[in-house]
Amino acid sequence: MKKTLFPITPDKPWLAPLAGYSDLPFRLLCHEYGCSAAVTEMVSAKGLIYNSPGTNELLQTCDEDSPLIVQLFGSEEPFLVQSIERLREAGFRYFDLNCGCPVRKVVKTGSGAALLKEPEKLLGIAKSMINAAEPGCMGFKIRLGWYVGQPVYLQVAAKLEELGAGWVTMHPRFGAQGFTGHADWAQLKSLKENVSLPVIASGDLFHAEDAMQCVEQTGVDSIMFARGALNDPSIFKRYLHLLRKEEPDPNSWTHMVGMVRRLSELYPQHGMERLGLLKMRTLLPRFLKGLPGARAIRRDIVFCKSWDDVFTILEAGMNEPEEI
């Protein structure tokens, strides 16, 4: 097995871990639009060791879903290390520790962004996880720190580099901020100037143009789309067009329906037909933003019981005269 890490460059954008959304079919759709590396939904280290229901579904993958990074969360070193060992036995190679999630049910266990409250403890966990993975195959997703106005990211990232981390992804808000305020891209520039390991940018990359501006302003090695990809999985293609100084295709009903039709093929192919239908109830309103006829679909999509119903609703929505 090769020891070299896959390239991390601006022309190889990542898909973030999206709780409840970035399952295998959604990741495959993003890959088809130019996503270079995708991260699983957050996997509980303790849940993995104790075989919690649903954990195996989060890890479902295939050859086209590569490279795949498994993102683990937890605060107990033994479970995190055992998780890597078990996942490596199952054939997984790349891992990431979530040190950035600000959601209450995660941070109340000391996991996610709460790890930044105690940098030394985090770095102790990081050392063990890096040693458990192949060289260059363990990354970390961080924030500026936990407490607003008390950044710890530079010291944490410098130590992660010293320990042998493969990359660091940063969402430039403090943990206590959640998703309020604005991502401070200037801190990404500072991080990139102070470490030599690859830096991936996250935070407020809602449109392809945002990602271009972020790369130009900060010099980061790559970018990670989260909510931007939820609203438009083709954001990767749009971003790559801009990177090549090409004009992206305009958003349209035809384009949006094409994305839905592809998902209608991918979910059943991977044994998730019913799950896919349920997810379309929340995905479709996101895909429709900026297109006429969305109100009718938001009203009717909750009643769809088959993919045929979905496309009947879409066809009706296309004929709605209203603007949103």
Side-chain angles (χ1 to χ4, degrees):
M1 185 178 287
K2 293 194 304 180
K3 294 292 185 182
T4 54
L5 186 68
F6 56 88
I8 300 176
T9 52
D11 62 340
K12 298 190 180 300
W14 288 42
L15 172 67
L18 299 167
Y21 291 102
S22 54
D23 52 24
L24 176 58
F26 189 84
R27 295 197 304 267
L28 290 175
L29 179 68
C30 290
H31 276 302
E32 290 177 6
Y33 280 111
C35 169
S36 181
V39 187
T40 66
E41 298 178 54
M42 288 194 305
V43 175
S44 164
K46 188 175 286 188
L48 179 65
I49 299 304
Y50 287 127
N51 298 310
S52 295
T55 301
N56 288 335
E57 286 74 10
L58 297 179
L59 295 168
Q60 187 174 349
T61 188
C62 64
D63 290 344
E64 294 77 22
D65 185 33
S66 178
L68 177 66
I69 297 89
V70 179
Q71 186 175 82
L72 296 164
F73 78 94
S75 59
E76 297 171 73
E77 184 178 318
F79 287 108
L80 289 162
V81 171
Q82 288 175 53
S83 293
I84 291 179
E85 293 170 349
R86 181 171 296 187
L87 288 164
R88 288 189 65 185
E89 289 173 2
F92 294 94
R93 185 180 182 193
Y94 302 108
F95 310 97
D96 192 82
L97 176 63
N98 186 298
C99 312
C101 180
V103 176
R104 185 176 181 275
K105 68 179 181 180
V106 173
V107 299
K108 73 178 182 181
T109 66
S111 307
L115 288 167
L116 294 166
K117 293 180 180 180
E118 300 179 75
E120 291 305 316
K121 176 184 176 181
L122 164 58
L123 292 169
I125 292 171
K127 181 178 181 179
S128 296
M129 295 182 77
I130 290 168
N131 290 338
E134 282 185 73
C137 293
M138 182 74 223
F140 297 83
K141 187 172 185 184
I142 64 173
R143 286 193 170 218
L144 300 177
W146 174 263
Y147 303 101
V148 176
Q150 297 181 33
V152 300
Y153 71 95
L154 287 178
Q155 67 192 71
V156 167
K159 187 64 176 178
L160 289 174
E161 179 176 8
E162 181 183 319
L163 292 171
W167 66 89
V168 62
T169 306
M170 189 167 79
H171 182 129
R173 284 180 170 89
F174 291 93
Q177 283 183 278
F179 293 99
T180 62
H182 300 282
D184 187 353
W185 291 352
Q187 305 306 318
L188 286 164
K189 185 174 188 292
S190 176
L191 177 60
K192 180 58 191 168
E193 290 172 347
N194 282 278
V195 295
S196 59
L197 81 170
V199 173
I200 303 168
S202 176
D204 291 1
L205 304 177
F206 300 117
H207 305 284
E209 292 80 4
D210 299 331
M212 274 298 300
Q213 291 173 16
C214 183
V215 170
E216 290 169 354
Q217 292 176 19
T218 67
V220 292
D221 296 279
S222 192
I223 50 90
M224 177 182 283
F225 288 113
R227 287 174 284 177
L230 261 186
N231 295 337
D232 178 13
S234 70
I235 193 170
F236 301 92
K237 183 179 180 181
R238 297 178 187 282
Y239 163 72
L240 291 171
H241 274 302
L242 292 174
L243 204 62
R244 295 191 293 262
K245 301 189 184 306
E246 300 169 355
E247 189 68 27
D249 296 330
N251 200 3
S252 68
W253 264 98
T254 301
H255 170 72
M256 187 275 296
V257 172
M259 291 195 298
V260 177
R261 195 166 295 282
R262 186 62 181 131
L263 282 174
S264 77
E265 298 167 349
L266 288 167
Y267 274 108
Q269 281 176 18
H270 297 281
M272 304 183 197
E273 183 168 9
R274 180 59 185 163
L275 179 63
L277 282 169
L278 292 173
K279 291 195 175 186
M280 288 313 300
R281 296 177 181 180
T282 51
L283 280 173
L284 264 179
R286 289 178 175 274
F287 291 177
L288 282 162
K289 190 174 182 182
L291 294 174
R295 184 176 300 173
I297 289 181
R298 291 187 182 122
R299 182 185 65 228
D300 296 340
I301 193 65
V302 294
F303 300 109
C304 67
K305 295 181 180 178
S306 70
W307 287 104
D308 286 341
D309 289 346
V310 171
F311 290 107
T312 298
I313 291 168
L314 284 175
E315 184 177 349
M318 289 178 71
N319 297 322
E320 286 282 329
E322 65 175 319
E323 296 286 332
I324 56 171

